[in-house]
Amino acid sequence: ALCNRLDRNTSGLVIATKNAVSLREVNKSIKNRQIRKFYTAVVEGAPPDSGHIEGNLSRDGYVTKTADEGKNASLDYKVISRKDGCSLVEIELHTGRTHQIRAQFSGIGYPLLGDTKYGGHGEKFRQALCSTRVILHFDRESELFYLDGKEIEILPPFGF
């Protein structure tokens, strides 16, 4: 069973389990925010070298918007490299709201390359966003404790 989801047109890692016991353990760790999730994205412009973005997000039809009311959303990022007016960033997601990365980067003026729904430009990518790294954490009493600290990483499908 799949334990997490990715937005449409987002590539990368998802967590899956083979049995009900593992599913419960992974879902518990996700709910308790013990599993660290990292994404790689290409954003338009030159954001500061690193930062924290936090705010409320609300849904308006098919679009997520920053708002005074709504659910809290939080992430940290660091710029890996810059080229041709864009920046390659690594993002650690602290909450998992729908379209969170896309909406929050657009909200601070750096939309994802190719993400026309949130103000991005370019036809090279549909949206330059990939779930690239997961660090697992399980409590000592968990049946999956042998995986505690396990890190799984892939390269994003877009070159930069």
Side-chain angles (χ1 to χ4, degrees):
L2 291 176
C3 302
N4 66 324
R5 61 167 178 74
L6 295 176
D7 291 343
R8 181 183 302 220
N9 298 326
T10 298
S11 59
L13 298 170
V14 292
I15 301 170
T17 61
K18 288 178 137 180
N19 58 52
V21 172
S22 297
L23 178 62
R24 281 192 296 275
E25 293 294 323
V26 171
N27 283 340
K28 177 181 168 188
S29 287
I30 290 172
K31 181 180 179 185
N32 293 334
R33 296 185 179 158
Q34 294 174 299
I35 293 180
R36 297 176 66 191
K37 295 181 266 183
F38 296 84
Y39 290 74
T40 301
V42 178
V43 299
E44 296 181 8
D49 289 343
S50 64
H52 176 78
I53 307 173
E54 185 160 358
N56 292 331
L57 296 177
S58 66
R59 297 277 301 193
D60 182 13
Y62 293 105
V63 178
T64 299
K65 297 182 178 182
T66 55
D68 293 331
E69 296 180 8
K71 294 183 178 182
N72 181 266
S74 171
L75 62 82
D76 289 311
Y77 74 90
K78 66 180 178 182
V79 175
I80 298 168
S81 63
R82 301 179 196 277
K83 182 170 81 174
D84 299 329
C86 293
S87 301
L88 183 68
V89 295
E90 181 183 59
I91 301 153
E92 181 173 6
L93 199 60
H94 300 299
T95 54
R97 309 292 179 219
T98 302
H99 299 184
Q100 176 182 341
I101 294 170
R102 300 165 64 194
Q104 287 190 301
F105 272 93
S106 179
I108 64 168
Y110 304 103
L112 274 61
L113 183 64
D115 188 7
T116 56
K117 186 173 201 170
Y118 288 91
H121 301 89
E123 296 179 18
K124 186 174 181 181
F125 305 109
R126 293 193 65 164
Q127 128 191 333
L129 179 61
C130 181
S131 171
T132 51
R133 187 161 52 115
V134 174
I135 302 174
L136 304 174
H137 176 73
F138 297 99
D139 296 329
R140 187 166 289 285
E141 62 276 358
S142 169
E143 293 199 26
L144 298 179
F145 183 71
Y146 68 95
L147 293 172
D148 188 56
K150 177 80 173 173
E151 185 171 337
I152 301 148
E153 186 170 10
I154 63 168
L155 293 173
F158 41 85
F160 189 80

